[in-house]
mmCIF file of all heavy atoms in Angstrom:
data_model
loop_
_atom_site.group_PDB
_atom_site.id
_atom_site.type_symbol
_atom_site.label_atom_id
_atom_site.label_comp_id
_atom_site.label_asym_id
_atom_site.label_seq_id
_atom_site.Cartn_x
_atom_site.Cartn_y
_atom_site.Cartn_z
ATOM 1 N N ALA A 1 -230.035 -81.170 96.379
ATOM 2 C CA ALA A 1 -231.151 -82.118 96.361
ATOM 3 C C ALA A 1 -230.593 -83.527 96.393
ATOM 4 O O ALA A 1 -229.591 -83.825 95.740
ATOM 5 C CB ALA A 1 -231.992 -81.911 95.105
ATOM 6 N N PRO A 2 -231.200 -84.438 97.174
ATOM 7 C CA PRO A 2 -230.694 -85.815 97.239
ATOM 8 C C PRO A 2 -230.806 -86.503 95.887
ATOM 9 O O PRO A 2 -231.754 -86.281 95.129
ATOM 10 C CB PRO A 2 -231.598 -86.478 98.286
ATOM 11 C CG PRO A 2 -232.829 -85.642 98.319
ATOM 12 C CD PRO A 2 -232.402 -84.236 98.004
ATOM 13 N N LEU A 3 -229.811 -87.312 95.604
ATOM 14 C CA LEU A 3 -229.823 -88.051 94.349
ATOM 15 C C LEU A 3 -230.736 -89.257 94.474
ATOM 16 O O LEU A 3 -230.661 -90.015 95.441
ATOM 17 C CB LEU A 3 -228.408 -88.522 94.003
ATOM 18 C CG LEU A 3 -227.391 -87.417 93.675
ATOM 19 C CD1 LEU A 3 -225.992 -88.006 93.613
ATOM 20 C CD2 LEU A 3 -227.746 -86.729 92.376
ATOM 21 N N ALA A 4 -231.609 -89.427 93.510
ATOM 22 C CA ALA A 4 -232.492 -90.591 93.519
ATOM 23 C C ALA A 4 -231.692 -91.824 93.158
ATOM 24 O O ALA A 4 -230.953 -91.826 92.172
ATOM 25 C CB ALA A 4 -233.626 -90.393 92.508
ATOM 26 N N PRO A 5 -231.764 -92.874 93.969
ATOM 27 C CA PRO A 5 -230.981 -94.073 93.664
ATOM 28 C C PRO A 5 -231.458 -94.721 92.371
ATOM 29 O O PRO A 5 -232.646 -94.742 92.058
ATOM 30 C CB PRO A 5 -231.250 -94.975 94.878
ATOM 31 C CG PRO A 5 -232.539 -94.493 95.444
ATOM 32 C CD PRO A 5 -232.589 -93.024 95.174
ATOM 33 N N ALA A 6 -230.499 -95.217 91.613
ATOM 34 C CA ALA A 6 -230.853 -95.907 90.379
ATOM 35 C C ALA A 6 -231.598 -97.195 90.714
ATOM 36 O O ALA A 6 -231.368 -97.824 91.746
ATOM 37 C CB ALA A 6 -229.582 -96.219 89.581
ATOM 38 N N ALA A 7 -232.516 -97.584 89.843
ATOM 39 C CA ALA A 7 -233.298 -98.797 90.087
ATOM 40 C C ALA A 7 -232.369 -100.006 90.172
ATOM 41 O O ALA A 7 -232.576 -100.905 90.975
ATOM 42 C CB ALA A 7 -234.319 -98.983 88.969
ATOM 43 N N ASP A 8 -231.358 -100.007 89.347
ATOM 44 C CA ASP A 8 -230.410 -101.128 89.347
ATOM 45 C C ASP A 8 -229.015 -100.549 89.138
ATOM 46 O O ASP A 8 -228.499 -100.535 88.015
ATOM 47 C CB ASP A 8 -230.769 -102.106 88.229
ATOM 48 C CG ASP A 8 -229.937 -103.374 88.290
ATOM 49 O OD1 ASP A 8 -229.296 -103.599 89.337
ATOM 50 O OD2 ASP A 8 -229.927 -104.129 87.294
ATOM 51 N N PRO A 9 -228.394 -100.021 90.207
ATOM 52 C CA PRO A 9 -227.108 -99.345 90.049
ATOM 53 C C PRO A 9 -226.041 -100.276 89.487
ATOM 54 O O PRO A 9 -225.987 -101.456 89.810
ATOM 55 C CB PRO A 9 -226.757 -98.901 91.468
ATOM 56 C CG PRO A 9 -227.552 -99.787 92.367
ATOM 57 C CD PRO A 9 -228.812 -100.095 91.621
ATOM 58 N N ARG A 10 -225.220 -99.699 88.651
ATOM 59 C CA ARG A 10 -224.118 -100.474 88.083
ATOM 60 C C ARG A 10 -223.031 -100.683 89.133
ATOM 61 O O ARG A 10 -222.854 -99.852 90.023
ATOM 62 C CB ARG A 10 -223.534 -99.729 86.885
ATOM 63 C CG ARG A 10 -224.475 -99.604 85.706
ATOM 64 C CD ARG A 10 -223.885 -98.732 84.626
ATOM 65 N NE ARG A 10 -223.665 -97.365 85.112
ATOM 66 C CZ ARG A 10 -223.108 -96.395 84.380
ATOM 67 N NH1 ARG A 10 -222.682 -96.668 83.158
ATOM 68 N NH2 ARG A 10 -222.969 -95.182 84.873
ATOM 69 N N PRO A 11 -222.291 -101.790 89.059
ATOM 70 C CA PRO A 11 -221.193 -101.999 90.010
ATOM 71 C C PRO A 11 -220.153 -100.888 89.868
ATOM 72 O O PRO A 11 -219.932 -100.335 88.784
ATOM 73 C CB PRO A 11 -220.609 -103.350 89.595
ATOM 74 C CG PRO A 11 -221.660 -104.011 88.774
ATOM 75 C CD PRO A 11 -222.430 -102.920 88.109
ATOM 76 N N ALA A 12 -219.510 -100.548 90.973
ATOM 77 C CA ALA A 12 -218.438 -99.559 90.931
ATOM 78 C C ALA A 12 -217.220 -100.141 90.211
ATOM 79 O O ALA A 12 -217.033 -101.364 90.153
ATOM 80 C CB ALA A 12 -218.067 -99.143 92.346
ATOM 81 N N LEU A 13 -216.408 -99.251 89.676
ATOM 82 C CA LEU A 13 -215.199 -99.628 88.953
ATOM 83 C C LEU A 13 -213.996 -99.229 89.800
ATOM 84 O O LEU A 13 -213.893 -98.086 90.264
ATOM 85 C CB LEU A 13 -215.152 -98.923 87.602
ATOM 86 C CG LEU A 13 -214.130 -99.426 86.577
ATOM 87 C CD1 LEU A 13 -214.502 -100.832 86.105
ATOM 88 C CD2 LEU A 13 -214.074 -98.472 85.385
ATOM 89 N N LEU A 14 -213.085 -100.154 90.007
ATOM 90 C CA LEU A 14 -211.859 -99.915 90.760
ATOM 91 C C LEU A 14 -210.679 -99.921 89.795
ATOM 92 O O LEU A 14 -210.451 -100.911 89.095
ATOM 93 C CB LEU A 14 -211.681 -100.998 91.827
ATOM 94 C CG LEU A 14 -210.326 -101.076 92.534
ATOM 95 C CD1 LEU A 14 -210.049 -99.817 93.345
ATOM 96 C CD2 LEU A 14 -210.265 -102.322 93.427
ATOM 97 N N SER A 15 -209.923 -98.817 89.769
ATOM 98 C CA SER A 15 -208.763 -98.705 88.882
ATOM 99 C C SER A 15 -207.483 -98.588 89.692
ATOM 100 O O SER A 15 -207.411 -97.829 90.667
ATOM 101 C CB SER A 15 -208.907 -97.481 87.968
ATOM 102 O OG SER A 15 -210.051 -97.582 87.150
ATOM 103 N N PHE A 16 -206.450 -99.323 89.271
ATOM 104 C CA PHE A 16 -205.159 -99.344 89.956
ATOM 105 C C PHE A 16 -204.219 -98.372 89.229
ATOM 106 O O PHE A 16 -203.645 -98.699 88.199
ATOM 107 C CB PHE A 16 -204.587 -100.758 89.952
ATOM 108 C CG PHE A 16 -205.475 -101.760 90.640
ATOM 109 C CD1 PHE A 16 -206.435 -102.472 89.930
ATOM 110 C CD2 PHE A 16 -205.376 -101.965 92.007
ATOM 111 C CE1 PHE A 16 -207.265 -103.386 90.563
ATOM 112 C CE2 PHE A 16 -206.201 -102.871 92.653
ATOM 113 C CZ PHE A 16 -207.155 -103.582 91.934
ATOM 114 N N LEU A 17 -204.092 -97.176 89.775
ATOM 115 C CA LEU A 17 -203.357 -96.103 89.102
ATOM 116 C C LEU A 17 -201.955 -95.897 89.669
ATOM 117 O O LEU A 17 -201.216 -95.039 89.203
ATOM 118 C CB LEU A 17 -204.151 -94.797 89.201
ATOM 119 C CG LEU A 17 -205.592 -94.869 88.678
ATOM 120 C CD1 LEU A 17 -206.285 -93.519 88.842
ATOM 121 C CD2 LEU A 17 -205.617 -95.315 87.228
ATOM 122 N N GLY A 18 -201.579 -96.681 90.663
ATOM 123 C CA GLY A 18 -200.251 -96.591 91.265
ATOM 124 C C GLY A 18 -200.141 -97.630 92.365
ATOM 125 O O GLY A 18 -201.119 -98.296 92.714
ATOM 126 N N GLY A 19 -198.939 -97.790 92.905
ATOM 127 C CA GLY A 19 -198.762 -98.766 93.972
ATOM 128 C C GLY A 19 -198.951 -100.198 93.524
ATOM 129 O O GLY A 19 -199.299 -101.063 94.330
ATOM 130 N N VAL A 20 -198.699 -100.497 92.256
ATOM 131 C CA VAL A 20 -198.812 -101.849 91.715
ATOM 132 C C VAL A 20 -197.465 -102.210 91.087
ATOM 133 O O VAL A 20 -196.965 -101.497 90.217
ATOM 134 C CB VAL A 20 -199.926 -101.939 90.651
ATOM 135 C CG1 VAL A 20 -199.968 -103.334 90.040
ATOM 136 C CG2 VAL A 20 -201.269 -101.573 91.260
ATOM 137 N N GLY A 21 -196.851 -103.300 91.575
ATOM 138 C CA GLY A 21 -195.523 -103.665 91.102
ATOM 139 C C GLY A 21 -194.430 -102.807 91.701
ATOM 140 O O GLY A 21 -193.265 -102.945 91.343
ATOM 141 N N THR A 22 -194.792 -101.928 92.608
ATOM 142 C CA THR A 22 -193.855 -101.032 93.268
ATOM 143 C C THR A 22 -194.414 -100.677 94.637
ATOM 144 O O THR A 22 -195.615 -100.832 94.887
ATOM 145 C CB THR A 22 -193.630 -99.745 92.436
ATOM 146 O OG1 THR A 22 -192.812 -98.830 93.176
ATOM 147 C CG2 THR A 22 -194.952 -99.059 92.125
ATOM 148 N N VAL A 23 -193.542 -100.177 95.517
ATOM 149 C CA VAL A 23 -194.006 -99.768 96.848
ATOM 150 C C VAL A 23 -194.252 -98.266 96.905
ATOM 151 O O VAL A 23 -194.365 -97.690 97.985
ATOM 152 C CB VAL A 23 -192.988 -100.163 97.941
ATOM 153 C CG1 VAL A 23 -192.850 -101.664 98.025
ATOM 154 C CG2 VAL A 23 -191.634 -99.503 97.681
ATOM 155 N N THR A 24 -194.338 -97.611 95.776
ATOM 156 C CA THR A 24 -194.556 -96.169 95.766
ATOM 157 C C THR A 24 -195.752 -95.820 94.887
ATOM 158 O O THR A 24 -196.258 -96.645 94.126
ATOM 159 C CB THR A 24 -193.313 -95.421 95.251
ATOM 160 O OG1 THR A 24 -193.128 -95.696 93.852
ATOM 161 C CG2 THR A 24 -192.076 -95.849 95.994
ATOM 162 N N GLY A 25 -196.196 -94.561 95.022
ATOM 163 C CA GLY A 25 -197.239 -94.037 94.138
ATOM 164 C C GLY A 25 -198.623 -94.609 94.344
ATOM 165 O O GLY A 25 -199.409 -94.664 93.397
ATOM 166 N N SER A 26 -198.987 -95.023 95.559
ATOM 167 C CA SER A 26 -200.288 -95.661 95.784
ATOM 168 C C SER A 26 -201.444 -94.736 95.396
ATOM 169 O O SER A 26 -201.568 -93.627 95.929
ATOM 170 C CB SER A 26 -200.423 -96.067 97.251
ATOM 171 O OG SER A 26 -199.633 -97.201 97.525
ATOM 172 N N LYS A 27 -202.279 -95.205 94.471
ATOM 173 C CA LYS A 27 -203.467 -94.466 94.024
ATOM 174 C C LYS A 27 -204.482 -95.483 93.511
ATOM 175 O O LYS A 27 -204.208 -96.194 92.534
ATOM 176 C CB LYS A 27 -203.154 -93.488 92.888
ATOM 177 C CG LYS A 27 -202.137 -92.401 93.181
ATOM 178 C CD LYS A 27 -201.983 -91.505 91.955
ATOM 179 C CE LYS A 27 -200.757 -90.634 92.050
ATOM 180 N NZ LYS A 27 -199.493 -91.428 91.878
ATOM 181 N N PHE A 28 -205.642 -95.532 94.138
ATOM 182 C CA PHE A 28 -206.682 -96.489 93.749
ATOM 183 C C PHE A 28 -208.001 -95.726 93.634
ATOM 184 O O PHE A 28 -208.465 -95.144 94.611
ATOM 185 C CB PHE A 28 -206.778 -97.620 94.779
ATOM 186 C CG PHE A 28 -205.435 -98.195 95.146
ATOM 187 C CD1 PHE A 28 -204.854 -97.910 96.380
ATOM 188 C CD2 PHE A 28 -204.726 -98.968 94.245
ATOM 189 C CE1 PHE A 28 -203.612 -98.409 96.720
ATOM 190 C CE2 PHE A 28 -203.469 -99.474 94.574
ATOM 191 C CZ PHE A 28 -202.905 -99.199 95.813
ATOM 192 N N LEU A 29 -208.571 -95.727 92.445
ATOM 193 C CA LEU A 29 -209.757 -94.916 92.169
ATOM 194 C C LEU A 29 -210.998 -95.790 92.121
ATOM 195 O O LEU A 29 -211.048 -96.780 91.376
ATOM 196 C CB LEU A 29 -209.591 -94.173 90.836
ATOM 197 C CG LEU A 29 -210.723 -93.223 90.450
ATOM 198 C CD1 LEU A 29 -210.852 -92.080 91.449
ATOM 199 C CD2 LEU A 29 -210.499 -92.674 89.037
ATOM 200 N N VAL A 30 -212.019 -95.415 92.912
ATOM 201 C CA VAL A 30 -213.301 -96.103 92.931
ATOM 202 C C VAL A 30 -214.336 -95.186 92.289
ATOM 203 O O VAL A 30 -214.564 -94.071 92.761
ATOM 204 C CB VAL A 30 -213.729 -96.454 94.372
ATOM 205 C CG1 VAL A 30 -215.064 -97.203 94.359
ATOM 206 C CG2 VAL A 30 -212.662 -97.292 95.055
ATOM 207 N N GLU A 31 -214.963 -95.656 91.204
ATOM 208 C CA GLU A 31 -215.946 -94.855 90.473
ATOM 209 C C GLU A 31 -217.283 -95.588 90.433
ATOM 210 O O GLU A 31 -217.381 -96.693 89.901
ATOM 211 C CB GLU A 31 -215.466 -94.603 89.044
ATOM 212 C CG GLU A 31 -214.137 -93.857 88.958
ATOM 213 C CD GLU A 31 -213.609 -93.797 87.540
ATOM 214 O OE1 GLU A 31 -212.952 -94.773 87.115
ATOM 215 O OE2 GLU A 31 -213.861 -92.792 86.847
ATOM 216 N N SER A 32 -218.301 -94.952 91.018
ATOM 217 C CA SER A 32 -219.653 -95.506 90.978
ATOM 218 C C SER A 32 -220.555 -94.524 90.222
ATOM 219 O O SER A 32 -220.087 -93.512 89.685
ATOM 220 C CB SER A 32 -220.182 -95.718 92.397
ATOM 221 O OG SER A 32 -220.413 -94.467 93.024
ATOM 222 N N ASP A 33 -221.851 -94.822 90.185
ATOM 223 C CA ASP A 33 -222.775 -93.923 89.494
ATOM 224 C C ASP A 33 -222.798 -92.535 90.114
ATOM 225 O O ASP A 33 -223.089 -91.553 89.426
ATOM 226 C CB ASP A 33 -224.199 -94.506 89.537
ATOM 227 C CG ASP A 33 -224.384 -95.659 88.565
ATOM 228 O OD1 ASP A 33 -223.557 -95.782 87.629
ATOM 229 O OD2 ASP A 33 -225.334 -96.443 88.745
ATOM 230 N N HIS A 34 -222.503 -92.438 91.417
ATOM 231 C CA HIS A 34 -222.668 -91.161 92.106
ATOM 232 C C HIS A 34 -221.404 -90.638 92.771
ATOM 233 O O HIS A 34 -221.443 -89.560 93.368
ATOM 234 C CB HIS A 34 -223.762 -91.294 93.171
ATOM 235 C CG HIS A 34 -225.084 -91.698 92.619
ATOM 236 N ND1 HIS A 34 -225.740 -90.983 91.653
ATOM 237 C CD2 HIS A 34 -225.872 -92.768 92.885
ATOM 238 C CE1 HIS A 34 -226.883 -91.580 91.344
ATOM 239 N NE2 HIS A 34 -226.984 -92.674 92.074
ATOM 240 N N ALA A 35 -220.301 -91.360 92.719
ATOM 241 C CA ALA A 35 -219.113 -90.898 93.428
ATOM 242 C C ALA A 35 -217.841 -91.384 92.755
ATOM 243 O O ALA A 35 -217.795 -92.483 92.194
ATOM 244 C CB ALA A 35 -219.141 -91.387 94.882
ATOM 245 N N ARG A 36 -216.818 -90.533 92.807
ATOM 246 C CA ARG A 36 -215.457 -90.914 92.407
ATOM 247 C C ARG A 36 -214.559 -90.633 93.602
ATOM 248 O O ARG A 36 -214.313 -89.479 93.948
ATOM 249 C CB ARG A 36 -214.991 -90.113 91.188
ATOM 250 C CG ARG A 36 -215.692 -90.486 89.889
ATOM 251 C CD ARG A 36 -215.096 -89.728 88.709
ATOM 252 N NE ARG A 36 -215.759 -90.072 87.472
ATOM 253 C CZ ARG A 36 -216.835 -89.469 86.992
ATOM 254 N NH1 ARG A 36 -217.384 -88.458 87.675
ATOM 255 N NH2 ARG A 36 -217.372 -89.839 85.855
ATOM 256 N N ILE A 37 -214.069 -91.705 94.219
ATOM 257 C CA ILE A 37 -213.265 -91.593 95.431
ATOM 258 C C ILE A 37 -211.863 -92.134 95.144
ATOM 259 O O ILE A 37 -211.719 -93.265 94.680
ATOM 260 C CB ILE A 37 -213.877 -92.390 96.606
ATOM 261 C CG1 ILE A 37 -215.372 -92.069 96.764
ATOM 262 C CG2 ILE A 37 -213.095 -92.118 97.886
ATOM 263 C CD1 ILE A 37 -215.677 -90.665 97.147
ATOM 264 N N LEU A 38 -210.845 -91.329 95.433
ATOM 265 C CA LEU A 38 -209.456 -91.763 95.274
ATOM 266 C C LEU A 38 -208.927 -92.209 96.634
ATOM 267 O O LEU A 38 -208.968 -91.455 97.611
ATOM 268 C CB LEU A 38 -208.594 -90.625 94.728
ATOM 269 C CG LEU A 38 -207.126 -90.959 94.433
ATOM 270 C CD1 LEU A 38 -207.019 -92.028 93.347
ATOM 271 C CD2 LEU A 38 -206.370 -89.699 94.028
ATOM 272 N N LEU A 39 -208.469 -93.458 96.694
ATOM 273 C CA LEU A 39 -207.905 -94.017 97.917
ATOM 274 C C LEU A 39 -206.386 -93.908 97.845
ATOM 275 O O LEU A 39 -205.743 -94.572 97.033
ATOM 276 C CB LEU A 39 -208.330 -95.479 98.081
ATOM 277 C CG LEU A 39 -209.846 -95.710 98.150
ATOM 278 C CD1 LEU A 39 -210.169 -97.193 98.053
ATOM 279 C CD2 LEU A 39 -210.430 -95.118 99.419
ATOM 280 N N ASP A 40 -205.827 -93.036 98.655
ATOM 281 C CA ASP A 40 -204.419 -92.668 98.684
ATOM 282 C C ASP A 40 -204.026 -91.911 97.416
ATOM 283 O O ASP A 40 -204.659 -92.045 96.357
ATOM 284 C CB ASP A 40 -203.503 -93.863 98.927
ATOM 285 C CG ASP A 40 -203.383 -94.187 100.418
ATOM 286 O OD1 ASP A 40 -203.618 -93.278 101.235
ATOM 287 O OD2 ASP A 40 -203.058 -95.342 100.769
ATOM 288 N N CYS A 41 -203.003 -91.091 97.572
ATOM 289 C CA CYS A 41 -202.593 -90.193 96.487
ATOM 290 C C CYS A 41 -201.091 -89.973 96.613
ATOM 291 O O CYS A 41 -200.620 -88.885 96.935
ATOM 292 C CB CYS A 41 -203.374 -88.874 96.602
ATOM 293 S SG CYS A 41 -203.195 -87.769 95.186
ATOM 294 N N GLY A 42 -200.336 -91.062 96.366
ATOM 295 C CA GLY A 42 -198.917 -91.056 96.662
ATOM 296 C C GLY A 42 -198.019 -90.671 95.508
ATOM 297 O O GLY A 42 -198.406 -90.729 94.335
ATOM 298 N N LEU A 43 -196.807 -90.314 95.852
ATOM 299 C CA LEU A 43 -195.785 -89.940 94.888
ATOM 300 C C LEU A 43 -194.995 -91.178 94.482
ATOM 301 O O LEU A 43 -194.693 -92.035 95.323
ATOM 302 C CB LEU A 43 -194.856 -88.920 95.538
ATOM 303 C CG LEU A 43 -194.164 -87.873 94.654
ATOM 304 C CD1 LEU A 43 -195.181 -87.002 93.945
ATOM 305 C CD2 LEU A 43 -193.242 -87.011 95.519
ATOM 306 N N PHE A 44 -194.665 -91.279 93.203
ATOM 307 C CA PHE A 44 -193.765 -92.339 92.745
ATOM 308 C C PHE A 44 -192.333 -91.961 93.097
ATOM 309 O O PHE A 44 -191.920 -90.814 92.957
ATOM 310 C CB PHE A 44 -193.872 -92.539 91.238
ATOM 311 C CG PHE A 44 -195.126 -93.233 90.795
ATOM 312 C CD1 PHE A 44 -196.148 -92.523 90.192
ATOM 313 C CD2 PHE A 44 -195.285 -94.598 90.977
ATOM 314 C CE1 PHE A 44 -197.313 -93.156 89.772
ATOM 315 C CE2 PHE A 44 -196.435 -95.242 90.569
ATOM 316 C CZ PHE A 44 -197.454 -94.517 89.970
ATOM 317 N N GLN A 45 -191.558 -92.958 93.541
ATOM 318 C CA GLN A 45 -190.148 -92.755 93.876
ATOM 319 C C GLN A 45 -189.341 -93.907 93.295
ATOM 320 O O GLN A 45 -189.888 -94.925 92.890
ATOM 321 C CB GLN A 45 -189.976 -92.708 95.404
ATOM 322 C CG GLN A 45 -190.735 -91.582 96.084
ATOM 323 C CD GLN A 45 -190.814 -91.773 97.589
ATOM 324 O OE1 GLN A 45 -191.586 -92.565 98.095
ATOM 325 N NE2 GLN A 45 -189.998 -91.031 98.312
ATOM 326 N N GLY A 46 -188.012 -93.747 93.261
ATOM 327 C CA GLY A 46 -187.165 -94.833 92.790
ATOM 328 C C GLY A 46 -186.658 -94.606 91.384
ATOM 329 O O GLY A 46 -186.089 -93.555 91.077
ATOM 330 N N PHE A 47 -186.855 -95.594 90.505
ATOM 331 C CA PHE A 47 -186.344 -95.521 89.143
ATOM 332 C C PHE A 47 -186.879 -94.299 88.404
ATOM 333 O O PHE A 47 -187.998 -93.839 88.649
ATOM 334 C CB PHE A 47 -186.713 -96.781 88.361
ATOM 335 C CG PHE A 47 -185.981 -98.021 88.797
ATOM 336 C CD1 PHE A 47 -186.676 -99.132 89.242
ATOM 337 C CD2 PHE A 47 -184.597 -98.075 88.768
ATOM 338 C CE1 PHE A 47 -186.012 -100.279 89.644
ATOM 339 C CE2 PHE A 47 -183.912 -99.215 89.159
ATOM 340 C CZ PHE A 47 -184.624 -100.317 89.601
#
């Protein structure tokens, strides 16, 4: 069944879970009222 849109949806939350301060492990999670989308899913390398 289609999800009824919220009257005033909350802004999505973006979390930096990898690929910050390093060139490895890129993972960026976007969480909204109706979806959790992970942008890239990389492995950490190096130290």
Side-chain angles (χ1 to χ4, degrees):
L3 293 169
D8 187 14
R10 294 174 298 178
L13 193 67
L14 168 64
S15 299
F16 300 91
L17 305 179
V20 177
T22 174
V23 296
T24 68
S26 286
K27 300 182 194 72
F28 313 106
L29 183 63
V30 181
E31 300 172 276
S32 69
D33 284 342
H34 301 302
R36 289 185 180 88
I37 311 295
L38 183 63
L39 301 170
D40 277 337
C41 190
L43 210 61
F44 286 105
Q45 299 166 283
F47 290 121

